[in-house]
Amino acid sequence: MPGLDKQKDNKHLHDLERRSREGLFICNGCKEIGFGNCYKCPWVWFCDYVLHVGCISEGHTPLSNSLFKNCEFQFYQTNPSTVAPACHICALDIQGRMYRCSKGKYSLHPYCATLQTTFSLRDSDMKIKLRRGTKLNFFKSKCLKCDRKNRSSNDVQCLSYVSSDGNLCYHVACMKEACRDNWNKGYFRPGSETNGQSKFLALQNLAPKEVLSSVGQTSEVSLITFLKLVVYAILGEPFDLIAPLFQFSQN
């Protein structure tokens, strides 16, 4: 079952070992980004097979999620439906392993299914919550990445991380895409430059509509803290690799 040091996966020849991997990876099970703890093939010189811990094929028990009342989710290695589903948390297409509720109404990426609904860090007073906007209760602010309040795909609405006061908002899908984009540009890679210019460009890519020039002002510190919380909530607190990104504006 997930959590053991070694695991078998029925889609791969070799036993997989649990490791902590620096940098982002693309999971071979769900095809989504991941960071840190994973199951990886030990034959690294010719095989790069890697899975999220939650995407291993064996040992899954039914999953519940507080965002979806009275639903029990079952793990599937392939889509059990004839229709290609979208994830009911990030609204992006599901291209591999997935959870589907017993009623057939909701589908989730395995990684999205484990996102914390409330997230904070010990060094911050701010909390963020994973929320769904409704027609009667849209968020106060637009997403810091796409500058929209609502993002949806095939009538599936993307959920957002929202600050406690409701003034800052970030779609889960937008942060996934921004993290992958930063990775492709070299900002989230082990050994990448950590000078002021590269940090500024990485932050600007996370919040392109914001002006990050008033270093040290309260509004900027709140913005940087919020971005840090959302990145950590989705990537799993990649301290050593990304922590320096959120430090220079607070000195």
Side-chain angles (χ1 to χ4, degrees):
M1 60 186 300
L4 299 178
D5 289 338
K6 289 190 176 182
Q7 284 279 11
K8 293 184 179 294
D9 186 78
N10 58 20
K11 296 294 184 180
H12 192 67
L13 177 64
H14 308 119
D15 287 355
L16 305 179
E17 295 180 352
R18 182 160 179 157
R19 296 185 178 181
S20 181
R21 179 164 170 166
E22 287 192 347
L24 301 185
F25 61 85
I26 302 299
C27 174
N28 288 93
C30 69
K31 317 304 180 187
E32 289 288 300
I33 62 170
F35 183 93
N37 289 333
C38 61
Y39 282 106
K40 192 176 186 321
C41 180
W43 298 84
V44 294
W45 49 90
F46 66 85
C47 180
D48 196 36
Y49 191 83
V50 59
L51 296 173
H52 291 121
V53 171
C55 283
I56 201 77
S57 63
E58 305 296 329
H60 286 273
T61 57
L63 177 78
S64 61
N65 189 298
S66 61
L67 296 168
F68 304 92
K69 304 296 184 183
N70 302 316
C71 287
E72 187 175 80
F73 289 87
Q74 298 286 345
F75 182 81
Y76 292 91
Q77 294 190 65
T78 57
N79 179 17
S81 171
T82 57
V83 179
C87 173
H88 280 77
I89 287 181
C90 71
L92 297 175
D93 290 343
I94 294 177
Q95 303 180 56
R97 299 177 185 184
M98 61 182 287
Y99 279 100
R100 188 166 177 83
C101 78
S102 55
K103 300 176 182 178
K105 187 176 181 180
Y106 302 113
S107 301
L108 304 174
H109 289 122
Y111 195 73
C112 288
T114 62
L115 292 179
Q116 296 183 49
T117 55
T118 301
F119 185 80
S120 62
L121 293 171
R122 284 177 290 181
D123 63 352
S124 170
D125 294 330
M126 183 183 289
K127 290 184 179 181
I128 58 173
K129 292 187 176 182
L130 188 60
R131 293 179 54 193
R132 180 187 294 108
T134 67
K135 292 181 179 179
L136 299 177
N137 183 32
F138 272 121
F139 309 128
K140 294 180 185 178
S141 58
K142 298 177 181 179
C143 172
L144 289 169
K145 180 65 175 177
C146 71
D147 201 33
R148 293 179 293 171
K149 288 187 176 182
N150 184 37
R151 174 172 173 165
S152 60
S153 174
N154 298 324
D155 296 323
V156 175
Q157 184 180 339
C158 179
L159 274 62
S160 303
Y161 274 111
V162 183
S163 60
S164 303
D165 58 11
N167 290 325
L168 295 169
C169 171
Y170 216 116
H171 294 133
V172 173
C174 289
M175 182 55 78
K176 282 186 173 185
E177 292 168 351
C179 287
R180 185 180 294 203
D181 191 32
N182 271 344
W183 168 258
N184 290 335
K185 291 178 178 179
Y187 303 140
F188 282 7
R189 292 180 181 270
S192 60
E193 292 185 28
T194 56
N195 58 55
Q197 179 67 10
S198 65
K199 293 174 184 178
F200 175 82
L201 291 173
L203 286 172
Q204 198 69 63
N205 187 49
L206 292 177
K209 298 291 183 180
E210 299 297 317
V211 178
L212 298 172
S213 58
S214 52
V215 177
Q217 290 192 4
T218 301
S219 59
E220 182 175 331
V221 171
S222 296
L223 173 62
I224 300 298
T225 300
F226 176 76
L227 291 173
K228 177 180 179 178
L229 289 172
V230 180
V231 170
Y232 282 20
I234 291 177
L235 291 188
E237 302 185 26
F239 292 106
D240 293 340
L241 181 61
I242 300 177
L245 176 66
F246 302 101
Q247 292 174 353
F248 78 100
S249 290
Q250 302 185 50
N251 292 335

